[in-house]
Structures are given as structure tokens and as C-alpha cells.
């Protein structure tokens, strides 16, 4: 196929591909996609001394830029999406928090329209089907057992755009709900759970494939009572979410997950709330008041951690510079793995011809310098 005349060549950078890192590599952009060849006179952008990696894919995100995906208007949700795009997240799933069933069904309708027009990659329902023992920043009064009929109600309200449900699968109806989700190609994620090791194994065997923010909102690992953490780490069928913001996890816990599960089973997420990319202050997370101080979000009543203010460029930077995880492994965890789980790896998650031209430019110190989504610069490269 002849190269398009409007192609652009990004040259000279270290380019991270599924097969490894290419020194002095090239990425060719034609319109909205990555191409295999360029026109002889195609303009070239010299990115020597930089890295080019795939756009980030966040499968667990509640908001940003001062906007909530759970309660914001369409314009506010779009503000949150733009905020995360400016930090490298070119593919994003909107996560809700616990609320009344009718309200959540209504929100599903609102968010599904943004999925249908390409602004979001899907909807993640975190709550209300979670354990009151591990509720975190969810309103206990609104929690309920994971009744398959109610799970189905939210799936229907999302009109085919529901990508994931977080469930406390040990609760009545939990296993049947997992089976329902698996039958319909929706991710059943185990989280905000008080399950035992044995109960977690049963849920995985029923079709659960993701651990919602592993280590957080679940019983700790103990030598006589290993709980859900051991079951989730040991099973090759499970991908574990990790929040690498320096608050949710000790670096040793992150290292344990990478060592035991391997990079191919880790998905770096933000679990971001409204304050991400916005600043300290008072916010609402569903019906609950949140105080953000020094970048850490906590409930006003009870002081529980209430999501994060993380963006994925920070998660990437921490993983490489502080946690010393190889760049290729971080790319696997922050782009490829979540794209595969969401069923969009044919379009995003790696820098391959035919895929969307979604990419992030990082400098030698792994600071974000540019973001492209579908061939358009969201953040123009800052190369000085």
C-alpha cells in the first residue's frame, strides 16, 4: 500500500515495541494510525534522547481535573477525560462508586453515550456489590449483595459498554454474578472483599479474572490465613491492579506483585478521583466528603483513603525510577495488559502498524514531554 502524503515520522527516540526497545527508532504516523512506511518527503520530528511508548490505558478511574465520572455533567466528565489525556492516558474506562441502583443505572446511560462516541473505553462499576467490612470510601448504607438480577440491570443500562464489575464474591449471589458476567464477556473483578483464600479460588474458577487494586480493601496476607491476596497472585488467570502512587502501596508490596505475578499479569491503574491533576481541597466521592491534602485523598469522616490523585505518567515515572522496574515491563503493565483485558488490543496498547497513533513521549528522565492520540497532539512535544 502506498504511503499517505500526510504522514509524519517520529525519529531518533528509543521506541518500546512488543518485541523490545529499538534504539534510534522510528514511528510513522499516517492520519490517525501508525503506518509501516512513509512518503519520501514526509516531515520528520527529531526525538533524539527521548522515549516513545504506547499511550497509557487506565481501566480504573473515577475522575480528574475537578470532575467526577460518578456525578459530573457530560461536560465535566469530558474535562476529566482531557485532564488524564494530558498526562498520557489515551484510553480510559470511567469508574463509578456505590450509589442507589436507579442512580447508577442513570449514570450508566450518560457514560455509555461517551463510550459510543469514542471518548471512553467503557464503564466500570465499583460498588454497590461489595463488603461492608472492606468498604473503603463507599457509603455503607448503600451497599448490597451482588444479586445477579441487579448486576444484569446495570449491564442493560450500560447498553453493552460495561467492561468490569468489582464484587465481593463471597457475599450471597457473588459466584452466580461472576458466572453471569463471564457469560456476557464482562470482567468480574474481586475487590473490596473479605473473602477467604478458598472463597477467592472458587470465584476465580467461576470466571473472575481481575483483582481490584490488589492489597487494598482486602484482608492482609497471613501465614495461616493467606486470604484473597495469595489466591489472586498465584493464579495465572488473574490480572492484578496496582496503584503506584507511593500512598496505597509500599514499594516492597509492588515488587512482590511484580515478582510473583510477572509484568504480564499486572495492570497499573490510578483509581483517581476528582482531584487528580487539579489540587488539594474538599471534594465529593459519591455521597461522601473527601479532603485532599498534600495530594492524598481521605474521607472527612473516618479518614479512609478515598481513591487517589494519581495520573499514569506519575505511575510510570515511579515504576521506572523508584521501583526500578524495566521500561518494557512497565509498558506491558500500563498499556498492553489493560488493553487486552478491555478487548481493545487490536487498536491500542502497542506501537504497531494499523493501530491508533496513541503514544507518549518521555525524556531521558521519564518525564512526560508529549502525548498523541489518534494522530493529534494532545500535548505538543516539549523538547527543550
Amino acid at each position: 500500500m502506498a504511503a499517505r502524503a500526510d504522514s509524519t515520522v517520529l525519529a531518533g527516540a528509543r521506541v518500546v515495541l512488543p518485541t523490545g526497545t529499538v534504539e534510534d527508532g522510528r514511528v510513522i504516523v499516517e492520519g490517525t494510525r501508525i503506518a509501516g512506511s512513509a512518503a519520501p518527503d514526509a516531515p520528520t520530528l527529531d526525538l533524539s534522547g527521548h522515549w516513545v511508548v504506547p499511550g497509557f490505558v487506565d481501566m480504573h478511574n473515577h475522575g480528574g481535573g475537578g470532575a467526577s465520572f460518578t456525578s459530573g455533567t457530560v461536560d465535566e466528565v469530558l474535562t476529566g477525560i482531557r485532564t488524564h489525556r494530558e498526562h498520557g492516558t489515551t484510553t480510559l474506562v470511567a469508574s463509578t462508586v456505590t450509589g442507589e441502583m436507579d442512580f447508577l443505572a442513570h449514570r450508566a446511560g450518560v457514560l455509555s453515550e461517551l463510550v459510543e462516541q469514542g471518548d471512553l473505553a467503557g464503564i466500570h462499576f465499583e460498588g454497590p456489590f461489595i463488603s461492608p467490612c472492606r468498604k473503603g470510601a463507599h457509603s455503607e448504607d448503600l451497599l448490597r449483595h451482588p444479586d445477579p438480577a441487579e448486576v444484569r440491570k446495570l449491564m442493560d443500562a450500560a447498553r453493552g459498554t460495561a467492561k468490569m464489575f468489582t464484587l465481593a464474591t463471597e457475599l450471597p449471589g457473588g459466584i452466580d454474578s461472576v458466572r453471569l458476567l463471564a457469560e456476557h464477556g464482562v470482567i468480574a473483578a474481586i475487590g473490596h472483599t473479605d473473602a477467604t483464600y478458598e472463597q477467592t479460588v472458587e470465584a476465580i474458577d467461576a470466571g473472575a479474572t481481575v483483582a481490584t487494586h490488589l492489597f487494598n480493601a482486602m484482608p492482609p496476607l497471613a501465614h495461616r490465613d493467606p486470604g484473597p491476596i495469595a489466591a489472586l497472585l498465584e493464579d495465572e488467570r488473574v490480572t492484578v491492579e496496582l496503584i503506584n502512587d507511593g500512598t496505597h502501596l509500599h514499594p516492597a508490596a509492588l515488587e512482590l506483585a511484580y515478582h510473583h505475578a510477572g509484568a504480564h499479569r499486572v495492570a497499573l491503574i490510578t483509581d483517581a478521583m476528582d482531584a487528580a491533576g487539579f489540587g488539594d481541597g474538599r471534594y465529593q466521592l459519591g455521597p461522601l466528603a473527601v479532603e485532599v491534602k498534600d495530594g492524598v485523598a481521605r474521607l472527612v469522616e473516618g479518614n479512609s483513603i478515598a481513591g487517589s490523585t494519581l495520573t499514569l505518567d506519575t505511575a510510570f515515572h515511579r515504576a521506572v525510577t523508584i521501583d526500578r522496574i524495566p521500561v518494557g515491563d512497565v509498558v506491558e503493565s500500563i498499556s498492553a495488559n489493560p488493553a487486552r483485558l478491555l478487548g481493545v488490543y487490536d487498536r491500542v496498547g502497542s506501537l504497531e502498524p494499523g493501530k491508533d497513533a496513541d503514544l507518549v513521549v518521555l525524556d531521558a528522565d521519564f518525564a512526560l514531554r508529549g502525548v498523541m492520540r489518534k494522530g493529534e497532539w494532545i500535548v505538543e512535544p516539549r523538547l527543550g
Side-chain angles (χ1 to χ4, degrees):
M1 181 181 294
R4 288 170 44 140
D6 62 346
S7 59
T8 301
V9 179
L10 311 180
R14 291 178 171 177
V15 179
V16 181
L17 303 176
T19 52
T21 299
V22 177
E23 303 285 342
D24 193 18
R26 301 198 320 162
V27 178
I28 300 164
V29 177
E30 288 187 351
T32 64
R33 297 187 180 276
I34 297 170
S37 60
D41 59 348
T44 297
L45 177 62
D46 184 5
L47 294 177
S48 297
H50 291 73
W51 294 80
V52 175
V53 300
F56 308 145
V57 180
D58 193 354
M59 57 188 283
H60 187 157
N61 187 315
H62 297 278
S68 167
F69 296 152
T70 297
S71 59
T73 65
V74 169
D75 285 344
E76 288 170 342
V77 172
L78 289 170
T79 295
I81 294 168
R82 283 194 298 271
T83 297
H84 285 284
R85 285 180 183 170
E86 290 167 358
H87 290 274
T89 298
T90 51
T91 301
L92 185 148
V93 170
S95 302
T96 63
V97 296
T98 294
E100 296 282 0
M101 284 294 296
D102 288 344
F103 174 77
L104 290 174
H106 171 72
R107 288 305 296 176
V110 172
L111 294 171
S112 65
E113 293 183 7
L114 294 174
V115 178
E116 290 160 358
Q117 67 188 38
D119 292 298
L120 292 169
I123 303 170
H124 164 218
F125 294 96
E126 187 180 25
F129 310 117
I130 61 176
S131 172
C133 302
R134 305 287 174 177
K135 65 184 184 297
H138 292 256
S139 177
E140 185 168 354
D141 293 342
L142 298 174
L143 299 182
R144 52 211 302 133
H145 292 162
D147 180 347
E150 294 194 324
V151 172
R152 184 61 187 260
K153 175 181 178 178
L154 294 183
M155 287 173 56
D156 290 345
R159 303 198 302 263
T161 66
K163 289 290 186 179
M164 182 164 67
F165 280 71
T166 292
L167 309 170
T169 53
E170 76 277 9
L171 296 176
I175 297 300
D176 287 340
S177 294
V178 168
R179 292 194 180 105
L180 172 70
L181 292 167
E183 287 170 3
H184 287 82
V186 179
I187 297 167
I190 300 172
H192 287 277
T193 177
D194 205 39
T196 64
Y197 174 89
E198 291 77 15
Q199 289 170 326
T200 306
V201 169
E202 182 185 9
I204 296 168
D205 287 340
T209 57
V210 166
T212 293
H213 42 56
L214 186 73
F215 300 109
N216 298 116
M218 60 182 63
L221 185 66
H223 65 294
R224 291 193 185 93
D225 184 11
I229 293 172
L232 294 163
L233 278 176
E234 73 183 9
D235 199 303
E236 284 291 324
R237 294 170 291 181
V238 176
T239 297
V240 298
E241 294 181 346
L242 299 175
I243 308 171
N244 191 23
D245 61 352
T247 298
H248 280 79
L249 297 176
H250 190 283
L254 188 91
E255 182 181 0
L256 174 67
Y258 265 95
H259 177 76
H260 204 79
H264 67 289
R265 288 180 47 220
V266 171
L268 293 177
I269 61 160
T270 61
D271 194 19
M273 46 78 72
D274 313 17
F278 200 67
D280 289 356
R282 281 285 185 106
Y283 297 86
Q284 287 292 128
L285 187 60
L288 303 179
V290 176
E291 179 78 26
V292 179
K293 184 177 180 181
D294 298 327
V296 178
R298 293 186 179 275
L299 292 182
V300 172
E301 294 187 13
N303 205 39
S304 292
I305 295 176
S308 84
T309 61
L310 183 65
T311 52
L312 281 182
D313 57 331
T314 298
F316 192 111
H317 186 271
R318 284 187 58 87
V320 175
T321 62
I322 296 175
D323 304 306
R324 303 298 179 184
I325 299 169
V327 175
D329 287 353
V330 179
V331 168
E332 184 82 359
S333 303
I334 211 167
S335 300
N337 291 345
R340 290 190 191 100
L341 283 166
L342 297 172
V344 296
Y345 189 67
D346 60 325
R347 302 196 309 274
V348 300
S350 65
L351 300 175
E352 297 177 89
K355 292 193 175 185
D356 290 349
D358 291 1
L359 56 87
V360 176
V361 179
L362 305 168
D363 65 18
D365 297 320
F366 300 99
L368 185 143
R369 295 301 181 204
V371 181
M372 176 182 284
R373 183 175 186 271
K374 293 188 175 181
E376 294 186 7
W377 288 110
I378 304 297
V379 176
E380 290 275 356
R382 303 188 299 275
L383 306 179

